[in-house]
mmCIF file of all heavy atoms in Angstrom:
data_model
loop_
_atom_site.group_PDB
_atom_site.id
_atom_site.type_symbol
_atom_site.label_atom_id
_atom_site.label_comp_id
_atom_site.label_asym_id
_atom_site.label_seq_id
_atom_site.Cartn_x
_atom_site.Cartn_y
_atom_site.Cartn_z
ATOM 1 N N ASP A 151 12.035 6.107 9.052
ATOM 2 C CA ASP A 151 11.366 4.818 9.221
ATOM 3 C C ASP A 151 12.250 3.902 10.059
ATOM 4 O O ASP A 151 13.221 3.335 9.572
ATOM 5 C CB ASP A 151 11.065 4.196 7.860
ATOM 6 C CG ASP A 151 10.205 2.956 7.970
ATOM 7 O OD1 ASP A 151 9.713 2.654 9.077
ATOM 8 O OD2 ASP A 151 10.010 2.285 6.941
ATOM 9 N N ASN A 154 12.649 0.176 8.861
ATOM 10 C CA ASN A 154 13.432 -0.104 7.666
ATOM 11 C C ASN A 154 14.865 -0.370 8.107
ATOM 12 O O ASN A 154 15.414 0.345 8.938
ATOM 13 C CB ASN A 154 13.369 1.110 6.728
ATOM 14 C CG ASN A 154 14.071 0.871 5.412
ATOM 15 O OD1 ASN A 154 15.007 0.083 5.313
ATOM 16 N ND2 ASN A 154 13.611 1.565 4.399
ATOM 17 N N GLU A 155 15.505 -1.410 7.550
ATOM 18 C CA GLU A 155 16.867 -1.755 7.991
ATOM 19 C C GLU A 155 17.869 -0.650 7.701
ATOM 20 O O GLU A 155 18.882 -0.539 8.375
ATOM 21 C CB GLU A 155 17.322 -3.080 7.372
ATOM 22 C CG GLU A 155 17.300 -3.082 5.852
ATOM 23 C CD GLU A 155 17.547 -4.455 5.265
ATOM 24 O OE1 GLU A 155 16.894 -5.413 5.692
ATOM 25 O OE2 GLU A 155 18.409 -4.550 4.386
ATOM 26 N N VAL A 159 15.022 8.005 5.554
ATOM 27 C CA VAL A 159 14.348 9.255 5.904
ATOM 28 C C VAL A 159 13.399 9.618 4.767
ATOM 29 O O VAL A 159 13.788 9.674 3.602
ATOM 30 C CB VAL A 159 15.371 10.393 6.132
ATOM 31 C CG1 VAL A 159 14.662 11.714 6.372
ATOM 32 C CG2 VAL A 159 16.292 10.051 7.281
ATOM 33 N N GLY A 168 4.483 0.451 2.037
ATOM 34 C CA GLY A 168 4.598 -0.462 3.163
ATOM 35 C C GLY A 168 3.348 -1.306 3.307
ATOM 36 O O GLY A 168 2.453 -1.270 2.469
ATOM 37 N N LYS A 170 -0.220 -2.607 4.885
ATOM 38 C CA LYS A 170 -1.450 -1.889 5.187
ATOM 39 C C LYS A 170 -1.469 -1.409 6.635
ATOM 40 O O LYS A 170 -1.854 -0.271 6.927
ATOM 41 C CB LYS A 170 -2.633 -2.829 4.927
ATOM 42 C CG LYS A 170 -3.938 -2.162 4.738
ATOM 43 C CD LYS A 170 -4.985 -3.194 4.342
ATOM 44 C CE LYS A 170 -6.139 -2.540 3.664
ATOM 45 N NZ LYS A 170 -7.158 -3.487 3.237
ATOM 46 N N LYS A 179 -0.684 8.658 13.051
ATOM 47 C CA LYS A 179 0.281 9.515 13.740
ATOM 48 C C LYS A 179 0.485 10.851 13.025
ATOM 49 O O LYS A 179 1.158 11.730 13.544
ATOM 50 C CB LYS A 179 1.627 8.793 13.869
ATOM 51 C CG LYS A 179 1.549 7.606 14.809
ATOM 52 C CD LYS A 179 2.874 6.889 14.878
ATOM 53 C CE LYS A 179 2.762 5.675 15.802
ATOM 54 N NZ LYS A 179 3.999 4.907 15.841
ATOM 55 N N PHE A 181 1.909 11.323 9.897
ATOM 56 C CA PHE A 181 3.043 11.401 8.987
ATOM 57 C C PHE A 181 2.643 11.228 7.526
ATOM 58 O O PHE A 181 3.301 11.751 6.638
ATOM 59 C CB PHE A 181 4.092 10.333 9.341
ATOM 60 C CG PHE A 181 4.770 10.579 10.656
ATOM 61 C CD1 PHE A 181 4.497 9.788 11.750
ATOM 62 C CD2 PHE A 181 5.674 11.613 10.803
ATOM 63 C CE1 PHE A 181 5.118 10.008 12.970
ATOM 64 C CE2 PHE A 181 6.308 11.856 12.011
ATOM 65 C CZ PHE A 181 6.018 11.051 13.101
ATOM 66 N N GLU A 185 -5.019 9.010 1.267
ATOM 67 C CA GLU A 185 -5.529 9.385 -0.052
ATOM 68 C C GLU A 185 -6.809 8.661 -0.409
ATOM 69 O O GLU A 185 -7.512 9.050 -1.326
ATOM 70 C CB GLU A 185 -4.461 9.140 -1.112
ATOM 71 C CG GLU A 185 -3.245 10.039 -0.917
ATOM 72 C CD GLU A 185 -2.139 9.775 -1.904
ATOM 73 O OE1 GLU A 185 -2.191 8.752 -2.608
ATOM 74 O OE2 GLU A 185 -1.220 10.596 -1.965
ATOM 75 N N SER A 186 -7.157 7.611 0.323
ATOM 76 C CA SER A 186 -8.376 6.867 0.003
ATOM 77 C C SER A 186 -9.626 7.649 0.380
ATOM 78 O O SER A 186 -10.701 7.403 -0.151
ATOM 79 C CB SER A 186 -8.381 5.518 0.718
ATOM 80 O OG SER A 186 -8.405 5.722 2.121
ATOM 81 N N VAL A 211 -24.521 41.026 -0.535
ATOM 82 C CA VAL A 211 -23.571 40.428 0.402
ATOM 83 C C VAL A 211 -22.385 41.368 0.578
ATOM 84 O O VAL A 211 -21.770 41.803 -0.402
ATOM 85 C CB VAL A 211 -23.076 39.056 -0.128
ATOM 86 C CG1 VAL A 211 -22.038 38.465 0.803
ATOM 87 C CG2 VAL A 211 -24.238 38.118 -0.310
ATOM 88 N N TYR A 218 -20.573 45.879 -1.716
ATOM 89 C CA TYR A 218 -21.557 44.806 -1.621
ATOM 90 C C TYR A 218 -21.671 44.137 -2.976
ATOM 91 O O TYR A 218 -21.600 44.799 -4.009
ATOM 92 C CB TYR A 218 -22.927 45.360 -1.197
ATOM 93 C CG TYR A 218 -22.938 45.838 0.233
ATOM 94 C CD1 TYR A 218 -22.447 47.092 0.572
ATOM 95 C CD2 TYR A 218 -23.418 45.018 1.237
ATOM 96 C CE1 TYR A 218 -22.435 47.520 1.887
ATOM 97 C CE2 TYR A 218 -23.420 45.446 2.559
ATOM 98 C CZ TYR A 218 -22.927 46.687 2.870
ATOM 99 O OH TYR A 218 -22.923 47.101 4.178
ATOM 100 N N GLU A 224 -22.459 41.840 -9.770
ATOM 101 C CA GLU A 224 -22.084 43.253 -9.790
ATOM 102 C C GLU A 224 -21.718 43.707 -8.377
ATOM 103 O O GLU A 224 -22.341 43.316 -7.400
ATOM 104 C CB GLU A 224 -23.261 44.071 -10.313
ATOM 105 C CG GLU A 224 -23.001 45.541 -10.428
ATOM 106 C CD GLU A 224 -24.237 46.307 -10.896
ATOM 107 O OE1 GLU A 224 -25.220 45.676 -11.298
ATOM 108 O OE2 GLU A 224 -24.183 47.535 -10.829
ATOM 109 N N VAL A 226 -21.262 46.953 -5.767
ATOM 110 C CA VAL A 226 -21.769 48.301 -5.564
ATOM 111 C C VAL A 226 -21.194 48.835 -4.259
ATOM 112 O O VAL A 226 -21.092 48.106 -3.274
ATOM 113 C CB VAL A 226 -23.322 48.285 -5.498
ATOM 114 C CG1 VAL A 226 -23.862 49.681 -5.273
ATOM 115 C CG2 VAL A 226 -23.906 47.661 -6.740
ATOM 116 N N ASN A 231 -26.976 52.066 -1.587
ATOM 117 C CA ASN A 231 -26.919 51.873 -3.040
ATOM 118 C C ASN A 231 -27.091 50.393 -3.392
ATOM 119 O O ASN A 231 -27.758 50.056 -4.380
ATOM 120 C CB ASN A 231 -25.592 52.372 -3.596
ATOM 121 C CG ASN A 231 -25.443 53.873 -3.505
ATOM 122 O OD1 ASN A 231 -26.434 54.593 -3.399
ATOM 123 N ND2 ASN A 231 -24.212 54.347 -3.527
ATOM 124 N N GLU A 237 -33.067 45.679 -5.056
ATOM 125 C CA GLU A 237 -34.515 45.785 -5.273
ATOM 126 C C GLU A 237 -34.841 45.975 -6.747
ATOM 127 O O GLU A 237 -35.823 45.435 -7.252
ATOM 128 C CB GLU A 237 -35.086 46.924 -4.426
ATOM 129 C CG GLU A 237 -35.080 46.594 -2.934
ATOM 130 C CD GLU A 237 -35.436 47.787 -2.068
ATOM 131 O OE1 GLU A 237 -35.762 48.876 -2.609
ATOM 132 O OE2 GLU A 237 -35.384 47.634 -0.833
#
Side-chain angles (χ1 to χ4, degrees):
D151 188 8
N154 184 332
E155 58 189 50
V159 175
K170 200 174 201 179
K179 292 178 181 177
F181 292 108
E185 295 177 348
S186 64
V211 177
Y218 290 81
E224 182 183 350
V226 179
N231 292 339
E237 290 171 4

